[in-house]
Amino acid sequence: MSDTLPEQRPDPRPDPKATPIVLVTGPSGAGRTTAINVLEDLGFEAIDNLPLRLLPGLVSAAGVAGPMALGLDSRNRDFSPAALLDVIDMLEASEGCDLSVLYLDSRPEVLLRRFSETRRRHPLSPAETPEIGVQRELSLMSPIRDRASLLLDTSDMNVHQLKAEIEHLFAPGGRNLALSVQSFSYKRGVPRSIDMVFDCRFLDNPYWQPDLRGLNGRDAAVQTHVKADARYEGFFSRVLDLTRFLLPAYREEGKSHLSIAFGCTGGQHRSVTLAETLAKALAEEGQQVSIRHRELQG
């Protein structure tokens, strides 16, 4: 569960041009890397373990770069609580920044268990026991914890729960998966890294119509021909319903991208028609969709 500190200030965001900047910090093993990755999936430019002395120059250009998520902790080369507090003061005073300080915390025994499970050396006690490193870091980070605008205790969270909590904090309306829909020819093989593949070679092939052969599935005449097949509507509606069914499940699992591909003999007509039609249907429902026709684009 998240625990907002009593002194948390409201987030009025008076300047719509202000750049959202999230400083992600906390003790090693509390989940900072996971949080940075989730923020990156949400559209933040993510930079982890940037030396503090370089941060002012980076932030000065942040208005151009867009939303940023910066991971800072005791492993930074020039880290000190005083230096990090100075950075926070600087960002809070900047009119061009909309700052959030996210502190990921965890109980000492949980941090110790996590280091034991991974068999990693603690960065603050490489030649000593992890217990010493955990206690040393918690003491070092205490002033930063007191200054955080958002405090998230990850002691009882697994990775999926932490991802969901970060999304709830920084994308309260939820996020859509990034979808890609592709067409291809089986003659050249199935594309790599595809999540779902549908074979549409059973549909009537426009290639055998002389007036359609030189066209492709982006042309209305070809689409009309393919959709006239009595099996088309049942096939397409089932694929669309399956995609609608799977999207919330994949999103809940923390998946950030889903790729769907349609294949036919030449990759010009039937597969292109299916890819175009599915992409359009999903986009009309508010999904973020990209489309690629491998055999048309080379």
Coordinates of all heavy atoms in Angstrom, one line a residue, residues 209-241:
Q209 N -8.1 -12.4 -59.4 CA -8.9 -11.5 -60.1 C -8.0 -10.5 -60.8 O -7.3 -9.7 -60.2 CB -9.9 -10.7 -59.2 CG -10.8 -11.6 -58.4 CD -11.8 -12.3 -59.3 OE1 -12.3 -11.7 -60.3 NE2 -12.1 -13.6 -59.0
P210 N -8.0 -10.5 -62.2 CA -7.0 -9.7 -62.9 C -7.1 -8.2 -62.6 O -6.1 -7.5 -62.5 CB -7.4 -10.0 -64.4 CG -8.0 -11.3 -64.4 CD -8.8 -11.4 -63.1
D211 N -8.3 -7.7 -62.3 CA -8.4 -6.3 -62.0 C -8.0 -5.9 -60.6 O -7.9 -4.8 -60.2 CB -9.9 -5.8 -62.2 CG -10.9 -6.6 -61.4 OD1 -10.6 -7.8 -61.1 OD2 -11.9 -6.0 -61.0
L212 N -7.8 -7.0 -59.7 CA -7.4 -6.7 -58.3 C -5.9 -7.1 -58.1 O -5.4 -6.7 -57.0 CB -8.3 -7.5 -57.4 CG -9.8 -7.2 -57.4 CD1 -10.6 -8.1 -56.4 CD2 -10.0 -5.7 -57.1
R213 N -5.3 -7.9 -59.0 CA -4.0 -8.4 -58.7 C -3.0 -7.4 -58.4 O -2.1 -7.5 -57.6 CB -3.6 -9.3 -59.9 CG -2.2 -10.0 -59.7 CD -2.0 -10.9 -60.9 NE -3.0 -12.0 -61.0 CZ -3.0 -12.9 -61.9 NH1 -2.1 -12.9 -62.9 NH2 -4.0 -13.8 -61.9
G214 N -3.0 -6.3 -59.1 CA -2.1 -5.2 -59.0 C -2.3 -4.3 -57.8 O -1.5 -3.4 -57.5
L215 N -3.5 -4.5 -57.1 CA -3.8 -3.7 -56.0 C -3.4 -4.4 -54.7 O -2.8 -5.4 -54.7 CB -5.3 -3.4 -56.0 CG -5.9 -2.7 -57.2 CD1 -7.4 -2.6 -57.1 CD2 -5.2 -1.4 -57.5
N216 N -3.7 -3.8 -53.6 CA -3.4 -4.4 -52.3 C -4.5 -4.2 -51.3 O -5.5 -3.5 -51.6 CB -2.0 -4.0 -51.7 CG -2.0 -2.5 -51.4 OD1 -2.7 -2.0 -50.5 ND2 -1.2 -1.7 -52.1
G217 N -4.4 -4.7 -50.1 CA -5.5 -4.7 -49.1 C -5.8 -3.3 -48.6 O -6.8 -3.2 -47.8
R218 N -5.0 -2.3 -48.9 CA -5.4 -1.0 -48.5 C -6.4 -0.3 -49.5 O -7.0 0.7 -49.2 CB -4.2 -0.1 -48.4 CG -3.2 -0.5 -47.3 CD -2.0 0.4 -47.1 NE -1.1 0.2 -48.3 CZ 0.1 0.7 -48.3 NH1 0.7 1.2 -47.2 NH2 0.9 0.5 -49.3
D219 N -6.6 -1.0 -50.6 CA -7.5 -0.5 -51.6 C -8.9 -1.0 -51.3 O -9.1 -2.1 -51.0 CB -7.1 -0.9 -53.0 CG -5.8 -0.3 -53.5 OD1 -5.7 0.9 -53.5 OD2 -4.8 -1.1 -53.8
A220 N -9.9 -0.1 -51.5 CA -11.3 -0.4 -51.2 C -11.8 -1.6 -52.0 O -12.6 -2.4 -51.4 CB -12.2 0.8 -51.4
A221 N -11.4 -1.7 -53.2 CA -11.9 -2.8 -54.1 C -11.5 -4.2 -53.5 O -12.2 -5.1 -53.5 CB -11.5 -2.6 -55.5
V222 N -10.2 -4.2 -53.1 CA -9.7 -5.5 -52.5 C -10.4 -5.8 -51.2 O -10.8 -6.9 -51.0 CB -8.2 -5.4 -52.3 CG1 -7.6 -6.6 -51.6 CG2 -7.4 -5.2 -53.7
Q223 N -10.6 -4.8 -50.4 CA -11.2 -5.0 -49.1 C -12.7 -5.5 -49.3 O -13.1 -6.4 -48.6 CB -11.2 -3.8 -48.3 CG -9.9 -3.4 -47.8 CD -9.9 -2.2 -46.8 OE1 -11.0 -1.8 -46.4 NE2 -8.7 -1.7 -46.4
T224 N -13.3 -4.9 -50.3 CA -14.7 -5.4 -50.6 C -14.7 -6.8 -51.0 O -15.6 -7.6 -50.6 CB -15.3 -4.5 -51.7 OG1 -15.4 -3.1 -51.2 CG2 -16.7 -5.0 -52.1
H225 N -13.8 -7.2 -51.8 CA -13.7 -8.6 -52.3 C -13.4 -9.6 -51.2 O -14.1 -10.6 -51.0 CB -12.6 -8.7 -53.4 CG -12.4 -10.1 -53.9 ND1 -13.1 -10.5 -55.1 CD2 -11.7 -11.2 -53.5 CE1 -12.8 -11.8 -55.3 NE2 -12.0 -12.2 -54.4
V226 N -12.5 -9.2 -50.3 CA -12.1 -10.1 -49.2 C -13.3 -10.2 -48.2 O -13.7 -11.3 -47.8 CB -10.9 -9.6 -48.4 CG1 -10.6 -10.4 -47.2 CG2 -9.7 -9.6 -49.4
K227 N -14.0 -9.1 -47.9 CA -15.0 -9.1 -47.0 C -16.3 -9.8 -47.5 O -17.2 -10.1 -46.7 CB -15.4 -7.7 -46.5 CG -14.2 -7.1 -45.7 CD -14.6 -5.6 -45.4 CE -13.4 -5.0 -44.6 NZ -13.7 -3.6 -44.2
A228 N -16.3 -10.0 -48.8 CA -17.5 -10.7 -49.4 C -17.5 -12.2 -49.2 O -18.5 -12.9 -49.3 CB -17.5 -10.4 -50.9
D229 N -16.3 -12.7 -48.8 CA -16.2 -14.1 -48.5 C -17.1 -14.4 -47.3 O -17.1 -13.7 -46.2 CB -14.8 -14.5 -48.1 CG -14.6 -16.0 -48.0 OD1 -15.3 -16.7 -47.3 OD2 -13.6 -16.5 -48.6
A230 N -18.0 -15.4 -47.4 CA -18.9 -15.7 -46.3 C -18.3 -16.0 -45.0 O -18.9 -15.9 -43.9 CB -19.8 -16.9 -46.7
R231 N -17.0 -16.5 -45.0 CA -16.3 -16.8 -43.7 C -15.6 -15.6 -43.1 O -15.2 -15.7 -42.0 CB -15.3 -17.9 -44.0 CG -15.9 -19.2 -44.6 CD -14.9 -20.1 -45.2 NE -14.4 -19.5 -46.4 CZ -13.6 -20.1 -47.3 NH1 -13.2 -21.4 -47.1 NH2 -13.1 -19.5 -48.4
Y232 N -15.6 -14.5 -43.8 CA -14.8 -13.4 -43.3 C -15.4 -12.8 -42.0 O -14.7 -12.6 -41.1 CB -14.7 -12.3 -44.4 CG -14.2 -11.0 -43.8 CD1 -12.8 -10.8 -43.8 CD2 -15.0 -10.0 -43.3 CE1 -12.3 -9.6 -43.3 CE2 -14.5 -8.8 -42.8 CZ -13.1 -8.6 -42.8 OH -12.6 -7.5 -42.3
E233 N -16.7 -12.5 -42.0 CA -17.3 -11.8 -40.9 C -17.1 -12.6 -39.6 O -16.8 -12.1 -38.5 CB -18.7 -11.5 -41.1 CG -19.4 -10.7 -40.0 CD -18.7 -9.4 -39.8 OE1 -18.2 -8.8 -40.7 OE2 -18.6 -9.0 -38.6
G234 N -17.3 -13.9 -39.7 CA -17.2 -14.8 -38.5 C -15.8 -14.8 -38.0 O -15.5 -14.8 -36.8
F235 N -14.8 -14.9 -38.9 CA -13.4 -14.9 -38.6 C -13.0 -13.6 -37.9 O -12.4 -13.5 -36.8 CB -12.6 -15.2 -39.8 CG -11.1 -15.1 -39.6 CD1 -10.4 -15.9 -38.7 CD2 -10.3 -14.1 -40.3 CE1 -9.1 -15.9 -38.5 CE2 -9.0 -14.0 -40.1 CZ -8.3 -14.9 -39.2
F236 N -13.3 -12.5 -38.6 CA -12.9 -11.2 -38.1 C -13.5 -10.8 -36.7 O -12.8 -10.3 -35.8 CB -13.2 -10.1 -39.1 CG -12.9 -8.7 -38.6 CD1 -11.6 -8.2 -38.5 CD2 -13.9 -7.8 -38.1 CE1 -11.3 -7.0 -38.0 CE2 -13.6 -6.6 -37.6 CZ -12.3 -6.1 -37.6
S237 N -14.8 -11.1 -36.6 CA -15.5 -10.8 -35.3 C -14.9 -11.6 -34.2 O -14.7 -11.1 -33.0 CB -17.0 -11.0 -35.4 OG -17.3 -12.4 -35.7
R238 N -14.5 -12.8 -34.4 CA -13.9 -13.6 -33.3 C -12.5 -13.1 -33.0 O -12.1 -13.1 -31.8 CB -13.8 -15.1 -33.8 CG -15.1 -15.8 -33.7 CD -15.1 -17.2 -34.4 NE -16.3 -17.9 -34.2 CZ -17.4 -17.8 -34.9 NH1 -17.4 -16.9 -35.9 NH2 -18.5 -18.5 -34.7
V239 N -11.7 -12.7 -34.0 CA -10.4 -12.1 -33.7 C -10.5 -10.8 -32.9 O -9.8 -10.6 -32.0 CB -9.6 -11.9 -35.0 CG1 -8.3 -11.1 -34.8 CG2 -9.3 -13.2 -35.7
L240 N -11.5 -10.0 -33.3 CA -11.7 -8.7 -32.6 C -12.1 -9.0 -31.2 O -11.6 -8.3 -30.2 CB -12.7 -7.9 -33.3 CG -13.0 -6.5 -32.7 CD1 -11.8 -5.6 -32.6 CD2 -14.1 -5.8 -33.6
D241 N -13.1 -9.9 -31.0 CA -13.5 -10.2 -29.6 C -12.4 -10.8 -28.8 O -12.3 -10.5 -27.6 CB -14.7 -11.2 -29.7 CG -16.0 -10.5 -30.2 OD1 -16.1 -9.3 -30.2 OD2 -16.9 -11.3 -30.6

